[in-house]
Structures are given as structure tokens and as C-alpha cells.
């Protein structure tokens, strides 16, 4: 299995700060023994941190803005495993479906349904292969801050990939 996966995620600093907390909490809640933040969780949070930082002055990006990150395939698989484990817990525990229940140990009380939704969305985004569009964007240097405007081929690839990424993002952020 390929280890370093290049992935595109939406630029949404406030949302990603919350999602990164959910990732850490989700790993800790299903850790062995809880609470334990595995190396995989630490690597994922570090890899996704650029999506949670504020834009630097003078940076120019294609709109809608995507952040391109590299994550480890095994870490993404482990994230999916934690999401499934918490999802099974949610389905097995009717009381856990309430908005006031906590997913387990952690710095903040997050309702289990929200935690499962967050983990599943992050896993889905990281599991979404950018395909040929990602290759085109990297070739033209349009997968990060822009120095010169990219050619139409790169713009088309960006909009195609952004459409797929934001469709998943919108589905995951609807409450």
C-alpha cells in the first residue's frame, strides 16, 4: 500500500481546529488503554494543521481554496477504524445518541454523534483520491500558494477536484 497520500481538504481554519480536536479525542476515546494518543493521531493532526492555520499575508490560492496535505495511508486506515469503533458504540448505546453524552475521556465533552460524524468526514476526505486532477495540479504548481496564474488545464483540474471535495465537506458539515 502506498504510504504518503497527497490529499486536498477545504481551507476552513475554525472548522479544522474543531475537527483536529475531534480526531485527537476520537483516537483517545478508543485508545488502548484510554486515553492514549497514538503516533498515528499525532501525525494526522500535524499533517492537517495547515488547513487550520490562518492565511499568510500575500498568499494567493485558487478559489475555492483547498489545502493539499500528505498523510500516511496507515494513519488514514487507523482513523477509519476509530470512526467505525465509535460508530458501533453509538449504535449499541441508545443513551450515547443524546446531545449531552461524552465520547469518553478528553479535554472537552463532545457528543458521540458529533464525534462520529467528524471522524467519518475527515476519514472520507483523506480517503478521497484526487486522481488525475491532483497530478495536474502538482505539475503546474497549483496545489499551494501561487506565484503565477496557472494555465486553464490546472484551473479545470482544481475546479473538478474542489467540486468533489466540497460535496463531501458540505455533506459532512450539515447538521
Amino acid at each position: 500500500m502506498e504510504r504518503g497520500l497527497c490529499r486536498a481538504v477545504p481551507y476552513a481554519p475554525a472548522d479544522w481546529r474543531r475537527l483536529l480536536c475531534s480526531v485527537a479525542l476520537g483516537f483517545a476515546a478508543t485508545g488502548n488503554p484510554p486515553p492514549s494518543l497514538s503516533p498515528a493521531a499525532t501525525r494526522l493532526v500535524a499533517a492537517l494543521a495547515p488547513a487550520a492555520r490562518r492565511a499568510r499575508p500575500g498568499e494567493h490560492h485558487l478559489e475555492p481554496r483547498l489545502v493539499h496535505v500528505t498523510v500516511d495511508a496507515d494513519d488514514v486506515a487507523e482513523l477509519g477504524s476509530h470512526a467505525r469503533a465509535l460508530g458501533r458504540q453509538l449504535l449499541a448505546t441508545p443513551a450515547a445518541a443524546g446531545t449531552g453524552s461524552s465520547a469518553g475521556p478528553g479535554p472537552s465533552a463532545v457528543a458521540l454523534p458529533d464525534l462520529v460524524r467528524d471522524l467519518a468526514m475527515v476519514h472520507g476526505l483523506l480517503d478521497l483520491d484526487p486522481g488525475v486532477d491532483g497530478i495536474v495540479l502538482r505539475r503546474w504548481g497549483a496545489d499551494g500558494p501561487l506565484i503565477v496564474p496557472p494555465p486553464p488545464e490546472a484551473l479545470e483540474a482544481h475546479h473538478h477536484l474542489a467540486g468533489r471535495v466540497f460535496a463531501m465537506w458540505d455533506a459532512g458539515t450539515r447538521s
Side-chain angles (χ1 to χ4, degrees):
M1 176 185 275
E2 182 184 7
R3 290 191 60 87
L5 305 173
C6 295
R7 296 298 189 243
V9 297
Y11 175 71
D15 289 329
W16 277 105
R17 284 190 287 276
R18 179 184 59 77
L19 289 169
L20 293 179
C21 288
S22 288
V23 166
L25 186 58
F27 272 78
T30 56
N32 188 14
S36 68
L37 194 57
S38 72
T42 302
R43 287 188 301 268
L44 279 173
V45 168
L48 292 166
R53 75 163 172 80
R54 289 197 173 125
R56 293 184 175 116
E59 276 188 352
H60 301 285
H61 294 265
L62 294 175
E63 294 295 332
R65 184 162 170 201
L66 297 174
V67 177
H68 296 265
V69 298
T70 301
V71 294
D72 185 285
D74 292 339
D75 296 347
V76 174
E78 189 172 333
L79 173 64
S81 175
H82 288 280
R84 282 187 299 280
L86 290 172
R88 282 191 296 272
Q89 179 182 337
L90 177 64
L91 292 173
T93 312
T99 58
S101 62
S102 173
S108 63
V110 176
L112 186 56
D114 295 335
L115 188 59
V116 170
R117 181 201 62 223
D118 289 351
L119 291 174
M121 183 176 65
V122 172
H123 179 260
L125 286 167
L126 296 179
D127 202 37
L128 182 65
D129 185 349
V132 174
D133 294 321
I135 294 167
V136 170
L137 290 169
R138 281 190 299 281
R139 179 179 21 175
W140 291 107
D143 58 347
L146 298 173
I147 297 171
V148 297
E153 176 186 19
L155 289 172
E156 183 179 334
H158 172 78
H159 289 295
H160 185 249
L161 179 58
R164 292 171 48 217
V165 167
F166 278 98
M168 185 170 289
W169 178 261
D170 291 343
T173 55
R174 278 189 225 132
S175 297

